[in-house]
Amino acid sequence: MKKIIALLIMIAVGTGVYAQSEGVSKFFAKYATDESFTTATISSKMFSLITNMDVETPEDKELVDAISKLKGLKVLGKENTSDARSLYKEAYALVATKDYEELMSVRDKDKDMKF
């Protein structure tokens, strides 16, 4: 399992689902300060900047409307790790029984990422 990127992407989608995302938030907090992980956090304020853009096509309008509903995004990743499978299982256990929906999946050679 060389060069595996342990995807651990969790989306905090607002206070309405806070109880569901509590375990995910704890997982993120557990590893966010670990220097072997890369973290990125996008606040609702950043998404609101995007929604203020002028759009020309109906497709762009749909995209802006979808973005306007996001309350935040947190990304946690780790590259070239020997414990990728256990990290994946730990994260997946938090979302497998919840009402989360897979938004995107990327698989390339030895990398498998899910959003």
Side-chain angles (χ1 to χ4, degrees), residues 7 13 26 31 36 44 53 56 58 69 72 74 96 107 114:
L7 66 91
V13 188
K26 286 181 181 178
Y31 295 107
S36 66
S44 61
M53 294 176 16
E56 297 178 10
K69 296 175 184 163
K74 292 183 176 185
R107 186 179 184 117
K114 296 179 184 181

Side-chain angles (χ1 to χ4, degrees), residues 44-96:
S44 61
K45 193 88 163 170
M46 182 64 152
F47 288 121
S48 70
L49 292 174
I50 296 170
T51 61
N52 291 333
M53 294 176 16
D54 291 329
V55 295
E56 297 178 10
T57 67
E59 292 83 14
D60 291 343
K61 174 74 172 132
E62 287 180 24
L63 180 61
V64 167
D65 289 343
I67 290 172
S68 72
K69 296 175 184 163
L70 295 175
K71 302 296 181 203
L73 173 69
K74 292 183 176 185
V75 178
L76 181 64
K78 186 172 185 177
E79 208 169 321
N80 299 329
T81 180
S82 61
D83 60 344
R85 189 164 306 280
S86 65
L87 287 169
Y88 176 82
K89 286 179 181 180
E90 182 182 355
Y92 190 76
L94 296 171
V95 297

